Amino acid sequence: MAEGRNSVIISIFSTSSGNGKTVTAINLAAGLANEGYAVCLVDLDLQFGDIATYLKLKPKVTITDAQIALENEEEDFDVLSYLTEYSYKNSDGKGVEFFVLARPPFIFDAYGIEIPVVEHIVNSLKWFDFVVIDLNAAFSALNLAVLDLSTIINFLGVVDFLPSVKNFKIGYDTLIRFEYEESKIRLVENRSNSQKLITGQDVERLIGTKFYHQLPNDFPSINKSIREGVPLIFSSPDAAITKSFIDLAAKYTNKHVEEETPAAEEKKGFFQKIFGKFFG
Amino acid sequence: MRYKTIVVETDRRMAEEISTTLKRSKDFELLSTYFDADSALGQSHIYNPNLFLIDVESEELLEMLPAFIDLFPKAEIIATMSAWDADIAFQAQKAHVTGSVLKPFKPEELLETINLSVKRGKREPSRVISFFSPKGRSGRTTLAAMLAIDIAKKTNESVALIDGDLQFGDLPIFFDIEPRHTVVDATHDIKLLTPVAFAPYFHNIQDNLWMLASPDRPEYAELVETNNFIDVIRMAGHVFRYLFIDLPAGFNPISLDVSNFADTNFVIAMINTGLEVDHMRRTMDILRERGRKNKFDYPIFTRVNPCTEEERFKLELKLGYPVTAIFPNEYNLVSVANSGRILYGVPLDSQLNQNIEMLSEKIISGEL
């Protein structure tokens, strides 16, 4: 890690809930950390974020403490004092370490977090090579401020359910309308191989751009990872989804770019009609 | 049908105007006009009227509404006011009037008000039921839609779904419809509307089931001020007997204020990793802290497997609150919602449907 290097900020965003933002944020952070980068994972799903619970962390300090400190003594503010360390080592001595900035413990405190404070905190994480930020699913003032700061917007979607497809399309169109550069927005399809009538290719045609990456479906591995509080690289090292996260991390570090996997066979029929109706 | 009408009006010029209007119309026959409650209550019965137009801007008349309803249980009682006042209209509704109209009016408007109010259903204030979820993908919209369908079918009273999930509302997809008006138009115009003028903003789904959709661009949500949205709900209460309001996930101005206004707030979480119970507890702690009087917040879990009483009991122990209802996973549901066939797609004998019916019966009976 080079001194004075600017952090790459990757925000994990989506426009419909429950499609794997937190799992993606954790495993991307773990993947990057595993490659030797200094990584900070920030939970900005301020009301109901699950980063700490998924990692079985019990943070003693959170973003609320960081805000209080910033408001009281801005000059002495040291962001590192408000991070919680996550570290894991397996029996072979292999492991991973990264830092977490936890969400407020109480929902009431979530309401009190101010945007300039978040901007200040994210900017002061420059010690890290990568800052991975987990957002919630809405176009809020806070989320837009964070997307503005981000190097990369990892825009995540599960496209098995028509309302989710609609929200994915609306979300993408809105990001473009808000003038985020297309190069900055990386579309990532989650659960890409689950059995479903709508294919990733349908959605690519609808949105007019390709998926940057596709994560396969693997509930058992993800459940195991959450149950153990251990990122996939160590809880299920051989799973396809783990390899896919390693690939995604590699894409973001530009180490090696995998060939795009050939898209699934085209399906036509009933859904075409509905697509036309809502998006035509 | 010709309405044999008694006008009770404190403003003499307005009384004259109403009288002229009614005389012009074939639908109404003006029997008599009174300027105070006592004369009207004492004398009207000799005419055998079936319609009263009562000036509720007069405090005295507003208070005497129950007496009119007692004495003339078969007559339609319409409250009249010269400027729309949501509080007065609500008080009149609580007194069991047929409906409220803005005066002066055209005969057609009066007729439409009566017809609308009769179609609305029981002469009671509307039930306002909101659907809150800590996080998204909880089954919130599905539950709101299915309950609305079932209650519309069971009661024959009018039911409206209002999409308060302003950025990412999914209701039109569930029903495969393209509404012309949205919550944005409604909140923009609400100060100028009356129940009769407001009714066409709703999209008719079937028989007595209607919908007001959210805007098609997320940024338009910014145009909706919460207090105007509450005004929309209050006005809708004069058009529909049941209002089902789908809220955006989490705590935000809309979800907090609307769930606070609703008489019944269902809080919905989908069981996935099991951690959802903690989010539900944190949510219930905050909602209950509001100490709402005669208004309730009820936790509901979806995708509960196995969906049994025993499992519900376990969830209650873990949650620390009674669990009002649990719903099983229904594999069909994704394809049903995907194809816009929520009206017909869920098998009647499925456990999901049975649990929906149990919940809607509790709502109709007033148990919830």
Side-chain angles (χ1 to χ4, degrees):
Chain A
M1 178 195 48
E3 271 295 317
R5 176 175 172 176
N6 283 330
S7 303
V8 171
I9 299 170
I10 303 176
S11 48
I12 313 296
F13 185 56
S14 80
T15 42
S16 85
S17 310
N19 57 18
K21 276 188 299 297
T22 303
V23 167
T24 302
I26 287 174
N27 287 292
L28 180 59
L32 292 165
N34 195 44
E35 288 197 24
Y37 293 99
V39 178
C40 184
L41 178 55
V42 181
D43 195 347
L44 286 186
D45 183 355
L46 295 173
Q47 294 181 5
F48 295 106
D50 276 322
I51 297 246
T53 24
Y54 281 15
L55 290 171
K56 292 199 190 304
L57 290 173
K58 298 222 173 340
K60 292 198 177 70
V61 280
T62 71
I63 192 167
T64 301
D65 303 292
Q67 168 157 308
I68 293 167
L70 249 180
E71 282 166 353
N72 290 337
E73 38 201 302
E74 189 179 334
E75 282 166 26
D76 299 333
F77 179 70
D78 175 15
V79 73
L80 298 180
S81 337
Y82 303 98
L83 306 181
T84 305
E85 190 181 357
Y86 176 81
S87 76
Y88 172 80
K89 259 198 176 67
N90 67 12
S91 48
D92 303 336
K94 283 185 184 161
V96 69
E97 273 179 22
F98 55 86
F99 285 86
V100 170
L101 178 58
R103 68 152 163 82
F106 303 109
I107 295 170
F108 180 78
D109 293 329
Y111 251 80
I113 300 293
E114 285 166 18
I115 294 168
V117 169
V118 173
E119 289 171 331
H120 189 122
I121 290 171
V122 171
N123 283 327
S124 59
L125 291 168
K126 57 187 175 216
W127 184 84
F128 293 94
D129 299 311
F130 286 93
V131 177
V132 178
I133 305 179
D134 190 15
L135 298 170
N136 69 351
F139 282 106
S140 60
L142 172 67
N143 286 353
L144 289 172
V146 172
L147 296 181
D148 287 345
L149 288 177
S150 301
T151 320
I152 298 279
I153 300 169
N154 182 105
F155 185 53
L156 192 69
V158 175
V159 295
D160 58 339
F161 189 43
L162 202 63
S164 318
V165 178
K166 180 210 64 164
N167 292 336
F168 194 60
K169 160 85 174 151
I170 287 182
Y172 182 71
D173 289 350
T174 306
L175 286 172
I176 297 294
R177 212 160 49 238
F178 287 178
E179 297 182 344
Y180 290 100
E181 296 99 16
E182 282 178 55
S183 59
K184 182 168 164 175
I185 308 167
R186 307 291 166 89
L187 303 181
V188 175
E189 184 190 9
N190 194 13
R191 296 177 211 153
S192 60
N193 61 341
S194 59
Q195 287 206 336
K196 58 194 185 181
L197 288 163
I198 306 165
T199 67
Q201 213 184 19
D202 290 332
V203 177
E204 285 179 340
R205 205 165 44 236
L206 170 70
I207 292 179
T209 182
K210 294 268 176 209
F211 281 112
Y212 179 73
H213 191 77
Q214 290 173 304
L215 294 162
N217 189 31
D218 187 349
F219 272 120
S221 297
I222 284 169
N223 265 334
K224 180 164 182 271
S225 159
I226 293 171
R227 222 171 37 242
E228 294 173 357
V230 175
L232 286 162
I233 329 176
F234 295 100
S235 68
S236 299
D238 300 323
I241 185 158
T242 307
K243 296 204 163 67
S244 187
F245 270 116
I246 291 171
D247 288 345
L248 181 61
K251 282 180 182 175
Y252 285 140
T253 59
N254 277 331
K255 268 202 169 167
H256 57 88
V257 179
E258 295 274 310
E259 281 289 300
E260 290 278 325
T261 46
E265 212 174 291
E266 195 172 320
K267 280 182 187 169
K268 277 183 184 159
F270 182 73
F271 285 94
Q272 228 80 18
K273 269 199 318 208
I274 301 245
F275 268 56
K277 191 151 197 173
F278 284 98
F279 311 116
Chain B
M1 160 164 173
R2 197 169 151 91
Y3 285 103
K4 297 162 75 180
T5 312
I6 299 277
V7 173
V8 193
E9 175 62 60
T10 51
D11 178 344
R12 283 177 187 263
R13 283 180 60 183
M14 183 62 81
E16 237 168 74
E17 198 167 340
I18 292 174
S19 149
T20 316
T21 305
L22 294 180
K23 281 175 186 160
R24 271 204 334 255
S25 163
K26 281 186 206 151
D27 296 313
F28 301 95
E29 177 190 348
L30 179 61
L31 304 175
S32 183
T33 301
Y34 298 101
F35 302 100
D36 65 273
D38 286 346
S39 319
L41 283 166
Q43 301 173 30
S44 296
H45 63 93
I46 60 160
Y47 296 107
N48 204 12
N50 58 8
L51 174 65
F52 282 83
L53 302 179
I54 301 177
D55 170 18
V56 289
E57 280 168 323
S58 145
E59 246 174 76
E60 188 208 354
L61 286 172
L62 183 61
E63 276 170 27
M64 293 303 279
L65 284 174
F68 281 95
I69 284 152
D70 268 358
L71 271 177
F72 303 96
K74 286 186 179 154
E76 308 295 352
I77 312 270
I78 298 287
T80 67
M81 51 189 114
S82 51
W84 186 261
D85 183 319
D87 291 330
I88 292 178
F90 181 63
Q91 266 185 313
Q93 200 172 49
K94 275 203 297 192
H96 310 293
V97 299
T98 308
S100 295
V101 73
L102 214 55
K103 64 195 167 190
F105 44 75
K106 292 180 187 154
E108 307 84 65
E109 279 175 277
L110 178 58
L111 198 62
E112 226 179 307
T113 301
I114 298 168
N115 291 341
L116 191 71
S117 305
V118 170
K119 264 193 284 178
R120 179 180 171 276
K122 285 189 187 133
R123 291 178 182 186
E124 303 268 351
S126 58
R127 290 292 310 269
V128 182
I129 299 167
S130 56
F131 295 78
F132 187 107
S133 64
K135 300 189 90 164
R137 240 195 189 196
S138 59
R140 187 189 67 229
T141 307
T142 309
L143 192 61
M146 292 188 72
L147 278 174
I149 293 168
D150 197 48
I151 287 183
K153 196 169 72 186
K154 284 196 164 76
T155 61
N156 257 327
E157 297 183 88
S158 64
V159 176
L161 278 159
I162 298 180
D163 202 341
D165 186 356
L166 299 175
Q167 288 197 353
F168 300 108
D170 294 331
L171 278 170
I173 285 198
F174 277 51
F175 291 96
D176 191 12
I177 58 170
E178 289 176 274
R180 274 192 302 158
H181 296 286
T182 72
V183 173
V184 174
D185 314 322
T187 47
H188 179 265
D189 303 346
I190 194 66
K191 298 267 190 284
L192 306 169
L193 294 174
T194 61
V196 167
F198 185 35
Y201 282 64
F202 288 78
H203 185 105
N204 186 221
I205 297 171
Q206 66 168 23
D207 304 335
N208 49 341
L209 181 59
W210 305 74
M211 182 201 297
L212 183 62
S214 57
D216 54 1
R217 285 188 175 189
E219 60 264 42
Y220 293 164
E222 295 261 307
L223 303 172
V224 177
E225 284 178 32
T226 312
N227 54 342
N228 287 345
F229 190 54
I230 300 276
D231 286 344
V232 162
I233 297 169
R234 298 188 78 182
M235 182 72 77
H238 294 275
V239 184
F240 304 98
R241 174 81 168 90
Y242 289 91
L243 300 173
F244 290 78
I245 303 159
D246 193 17
L247 298 173
F251 287 94
N252 46 63
I254 289 268
S255 71
L256 267 172
D257 286 359
V258 174
S259 68
N260 197 29
F261 178 78
D263 58 68
T264 302
N265 180 38
F266 290 131
V267 187
I268 302 137
M270 183 181 277
I271 299 291
N272 193 1
T273 55
L275 299 169
E276 298 77 15
V277 181
D278 296 329
H279 291 317
M280 178 69 97
R281 189 184 316 105
R282 298 168 72 220
T283 304
M284 288 301 294
D285 287 348
I286 289 185
L287 294 175
R288 288 281 172 105
E289 216 168 80
R290 303 190 287 192
R292 308 198 300 149
K293 273 192 188 149
N294 300 322
K295 295 180 168 191
F296 302 94
D297 303 286
Y298 297 111
I300 290 178
F301 287 103
T302 59
R303 208 198 254 174
V304 178
N305 182 31
C307 194
T308 58
E309 274 303 301
E310 199 186 340
E311 197 62 27
R312 190 215 318 240
F313 186 62
K314 275 191 212 159
L315 284 168
E316 283 184 346
L317 279 184
K318 214 171 147 195
L319 180 66
Y321 288 99
V323 172
T324 302
I326 51 174
F327 291 94
N329 191 22
E330 170 63 51
Y331 293 96
N332 269 333
L333 204 61
V334 167
S335 66
V336 165
N338 272 349
S339 53
R341 290 189 307 113
I342 195 152
L343 278 171
Y344 323 102
V346 182
L348 289 174
D349 58 350
S350 64
Q351 196 189 355
L352 175 66
N353 225 345
Q354 285 165 10
N355 289 15
I356 290 277
E357 288 197 20
M358 265 161 53
L359 190 57
S360 61
E361 271 154 24
K362 284 183 184 169
I363 294 169
I364 295 165
S365 71
E367 189 183 327
L368 291 182

